[in-house]
Amino acid sequence: QVELVESGGGLVQAGGSLGLSCSASGSISSINVMGWYRQAPGKQRELVATITSGGSTNYAESVKGRFTISRDNAKKMVDLQMNSLKPDDTAVYYCSADVRRSGRISYSTYWGQGTQVTVSS
């Protein structure tokens, strides 16, 4: 089985910073894309940022210049540094990873349990 465990998040004032971390564990052969998504109340889950195993990144327009995604392939971890936070960033943040399990050929997407980020005005 594969498990993604997130840490970080919490409550911060507008303009502040928070960091999120996600660690993947289990019978993992390789991980392709890792990323962060978020879901605000009453809204659909949306992409925040993704990063490939080679380090190529992709960001939502709304977070460009404020958020930074990074990963440690050896540790199977992905981080999200969030700066200049706004109340609109308030959401549950989910870690995702495209994983090829040991003995398998294809990749499947796995999700963390989510962590709350609340930005007060």
Side-chain angles (χ1 to χ4, degrees):
Q1 194 52 279
V2 174
E3 185 178 25
L4 300 182
V5 178
E6 298 133 338
S7 61
L11 174 64
V12 66
Q13 288 189 330
S17 299
L18 279 176
L20 304 179
S21 291
C22 173
S23 177
S25 63
S27 58
I28 297 171
S29 176
S30 64
I31 303 176
N32 188 7
V33 179
M34 301 186 81
W36 291 94
Y37 291 73
R38 67 187 181 187
Q39 187 167 18
K43 295 186 177 181
Q44 291 187 330
R45 190 173 299 188
E46 64 176 7
L47 178 146
V48 175
T50 60
I51 184 168
T52 68
S53 58
S56 296
T57 59
N58 179 50
Y59 293 93
E61 285 296 325
S62 60
V63 306
K64 280 184 179 178
R66 300 188 297 122
F67 291 11
T68 301
I69 190 171
S70 60
R71 69 187 277 178
D72 185 324
N73 291 329
K75 295 182 179 179
K76 301 184 183 63
M77 293 185 65
V78 61
D79 295 334
L80 184 69
Q81 179 62 39
M82 305 180 291
N83 299 326
S84 302
L85 282 160
K86 305 174 182 179
D88 283 349
D89 296 317
T90 296
V92 177
Y93 283 68
Y94 297 90
C95 170
S96 75
D98 293 339
V99 175
R100 184 174 65 186
R101 293 178 59 185
S102 301
R104 303 286 179 90
I105 297 176
S106 61
Y107 285 82
S108 298
T109 300
Y110 292 85
W111 295 90
Q113 78 284 359
T115 185
Q116 178 70 46
V117 172
T118 303
V119 184
S120 63
S121 57

